[in-house]
Every structure is written in C-alpha cells, then in structure tokens.
Amino acid sequence: MVTEKVTTQMWAVVQDTYGDAGVLRHERIGRPEVTGNEVLVRVQAAGLDRGTWHLMTGKPYLMRIAGLGFRGPKVRVLGRDLAGTVEAVGSAVTRFAVGDEVYGAGRGSFAEYAVAVEDQLARKPVNLSFEQAAAVPVSAATALQALTDQGRIEAGQQVLVIGASGGVGSYAVQLAKAFGAEVTGVAGTAKLDLLRSLGADRVLDYTRDDYADGTHHYDLVLDIAGNAGLSRLRRALTPKGTVVLVGGEDGGDLTGGMNRSVRALMLSMVVSQRLAWFVAKVRAGDLERLTALIEAGDVTPSIDRTYPLDQAADAIRHLASGHVRGKAVITI
C-alpha cells in the first residue's frame, strides 16, 4: 500500500464523495511513496475507461460493499491506466529501474505521480507515444482476456463484437483479426468507418441491423455493450458457440449487470452453448503479449481525444455521453 508519509506535493484529480463529474477537483496533494513491490511512476498520460466512471459514481452500489468504500471512495485520486517513467522503486522490485519508460495499471493515475505494483507494469512499446500507450492497459487487457482466457478463440472462427467502437471493442476487433478470426463489429452509424479502419470484415449498424436475425451464426460473441438479453445473444451463436459478457451497464444502480452475469453462468450449465463472465485484471504477462502485437503492427490504439489533467471532468462527461470513438486520454 502507499504510505501516508508525504515528501512533496503534486497535482491530482481528487474526489471525496461519489457522484457525477462535478465532484472532481484539480488540486495539490501529497505525493505518495512506495515500498516492497511497488513502483512510483511519473505519469505522462492516463487512459480513461468505463471502470473509472464506475469508481467515480460508486455504482453499482454492490461495488461499495465489495470494498470500494461504502460512504465515500477509499482512494481519493481517480484513474487506473497510465504511461510514464519510473521515478522510484520499492525494495522488492526487480524488473524496473529509475528512468524506465513503462505502461500499465496503477492506483490514482489522474495525477503527476501514481503507484503501481510491479506485476501490473511492462515496458512501453517503442513505437507508441505516452498518450497512445496510456490508452492500452485496461481496455486491451480486457479484450485479450475475453478472447483468449474466456472465449478460447481459434483461427478461422466467426467472431461477433457488440460495442466494437469503444475502448475494449476497438482492441477486440484488432486482436481477433490478429488471431486469425473473421470479425463482425456492431456499432452506431457514425462509428462504422472506425470499425472498417480497425480491420473488421463486416460491420453492422445497431440502429437498423439485427445480429440475431438468423442470417449469421458466430462461434464467439463478445458482448461489450452489455444490454442484450441472453436469449438474443444465444440466437446469434452456433450450437456449440460461446458468449463472453464483458459489460453490463443496464442492470440498475444496485447490482449493475451482475444479475445477467449470474443467470448466464447458471444457464451455461444446462445448455450446449457456453456463456462466460469474468472480471479482467491487468497482468504484466498480458501487457508483454500486447506489446509484441503492437510493435508488430497488429494492434494500434485508437484515440478519440486528449484532455489536460485539469479538464479530466470534461473527459469523463464525454465518455459518459457514449460518443467516444476508441479511447479518451488525459495528458499530464
């Protein structure tokens, strides 16, 4: 854990209560120190993902019971994705030294300095800027784990990505193509060109196309949009196909998408199709695998807009609007 001792000050985006972006403040606070297996990163850029919105609002409320902080956030500084340079290392750190350029996940990355544990960091891809690298960790790791650990993707499969134009979806399309699948992406009208540029073989406009109309059946479906019923998802599958639930935004403030996820796991026990759900975690091994794909040119971050640190609230409002194409990034 970050120690309480303060040695100097830094700028950060903080919150003391749950709420919308209006609860965020840009102010100077104490810079954290590191111990053990922790790395202090001088943050150059921080990615923004949907999970950050959940941490800010404290919704679904089940997250608060699970340890987020019941009355208010335990971690005052927002942000998870980061890219920057190593400023200091704990006594147990063996993989990094001061000055190394790294990317990964930390705690409180909307700040000039953030702490990350060693096994959630990797060396920054040489062909990416800090802004591009900061757009990778949480979203790309989620897409990778959904496709491989949960979806068990194989070359030649038909893969459907629902919500393909967002952070996780934009990586899922590229990764599925890199693994040899034929990919269909689902998004809104204004974002179909993005899906084509990412390499999708086929695009569907959710305002007029029905991926479950029976004309196509998929070996693997990633539901990132999180609002489709299980029966509809199953209609899009082959008899032995797999659905991976990556998002769940329409389940209400109490449990979010948990109800649907639990139903999916129970249903998977009695039908021939697999219905999977998981909680992604940024791991050094996955980041290193992503680095190889990025440096080979198979995966490229798609950045919609960048915002300076003092405009982080505007970035989150843009994310909540649903208009982000790919990722939004905070620059420090």
Side-chain angles (χ1 to χ4, degrees):
M1 294 180 63
V2 179
T3 62
E4 294 295 324
K5 183 180 178 181
V6 174
T7 59
T8 187
Q9 298 284 301
M10 67 177 184
W11 284 104
V13 174
V14 302
Q15 64 177 115
D16 294 310
T17 61
Y18 294 119
D20 61 19
V23 304
L24 302 180
R25 304 190 312 278
H26 180 240
E27 64 180 41
R28 291 186 67 79
I29 63 171
R31 193 179 85 176
E33 291 185 331
V34 292
T35 60
N37 66 341
E38 296 172 338
V39 177
L40 181 66
V41 178
R42 182 179 181 90
V43 182
Q44 301 292 332
L48 178 57
D49 65 285
R50 188 69 181 181
T52 301
W53 180 89
H54 286 293
L55 293 172
M56 180 187 73
T57 61
K59 296 179 181 179
Y61 297 129
L62 189 62
M63 293 173 57
R64 306 187 190 187
I65 300 172
L68 185 61
F70 190 73
R71 296 185 179 277
K74 288 183 178 180
V75 179
R76 296 178 67 222
V77 183
L78 206 61
R80 301 190 295 168
D81 278 327
L82 60 81
T85 56
V86 174
E87 183 78 8
V89 297
S91 59
V93 172
T94 60
R95 296 172 51 238
F96 302 106
V98 173
D100 287 346
E101 296 184 348
V102 297
Y103 77 135
R107 185 169 65 176
S109 63
F110 288 8
E112 291 180 295
Y113 297 88
V115 172
V117 295
E118 183 179 20
D119 63 3
Q120 289 190 303
L121 291 174
R123 296 186 186 277
K124 182 181 73 67
V126 296
N127 58 336
L128 294 188
S129 65
F130 284 111
E131 290 80 6
Q132 290 174 308
V136 175
V138 172
S139 294
T142 300
L144 179 64
Q145 292 165 29
L147 288 167
T148 59
D149 298 2
Q150 303 298 321
R152 305 170 190 171
I153 189 171
E154 297 178 5
Q157 286 186 328
Q158 296 282 329
V159 175
L160 175 70
V161 181
I162 306 168
S165 61
V168 177
S170 62
Y171 288 112
V173 170
Q174 295 180 79
L175 288 167
K177 286 295 296 179
F179 297 148
E182 184 169 330
V183 182
T184 298
V186 181
T189 309
K191 300 178 181 180
L192 298 183
D193 60 328
L194 172 63
L195 302 192
R196 295 186 183 97
S197 71
L198 295 173
D201 299 288
R202 183 166 168 261
V203 299
L204 298 178
D205 184 341
Y206 72 78
T207 66
R208 62 171 184 262
D209 300 320
D210 182 6
Y211 58 78
D213 63 4
T215 58
H216 286 80
H217 292 92
Y218 302 90
D219 302 293
L220 174 59
V221 173
L222 267 57
D223 180 25
I224 303 166
N227 54 15
L230 296 180
S231 60
R232 185 163 182 241
L233 292 171
R234 291 184 61 210
R235 286 198 301 271
L237 281 180
T238 60
K240 298 289 186 179
T242 296
V243 167
V244 179
L245 304 180
V246 184
E249 302 297 335
D250 286 357
D253 289 344
L254 179 60
T255 61
M258 286 295 296
N259 288 340
R260 187 180 70 145
S261 299
V262 171
R263 292 198 310 271
L265 294 178
M266 295 177 64
L267 183 60
S268 191
M269 297 178 184
V270 296
V271 299
S272 62
Q273 298 159 324
R274 288 183 61 244
L275 290 83
W277 171 79
F278 74 111
V279 176
K281 181 179 180 180
V282 176
R283 303 177 299 219
D286 287 339
L287 290 173
E288 290 165 356
R289 187 176 183 185
L290 289 166
T291 294
L293 290 164
I294 290 167
E295 292 182 345
D298 294 321
V299 174
T300 303
S302 177
I303 296 179
D304 180 276
R305 291 174 61 181
T306 61
Y307 295 80
L309 184 62
D310 60 0
Q311 294 178 21
D314 292 333
I316 292 178
R317 292 186 184 100
H318 184 43
L319 175 75
S321 74
H323 296 147
V324 174
R325 296 160 54 97
K327 295 278 290 188
V329 172
I330 308 297
T331 57
I332 292 93

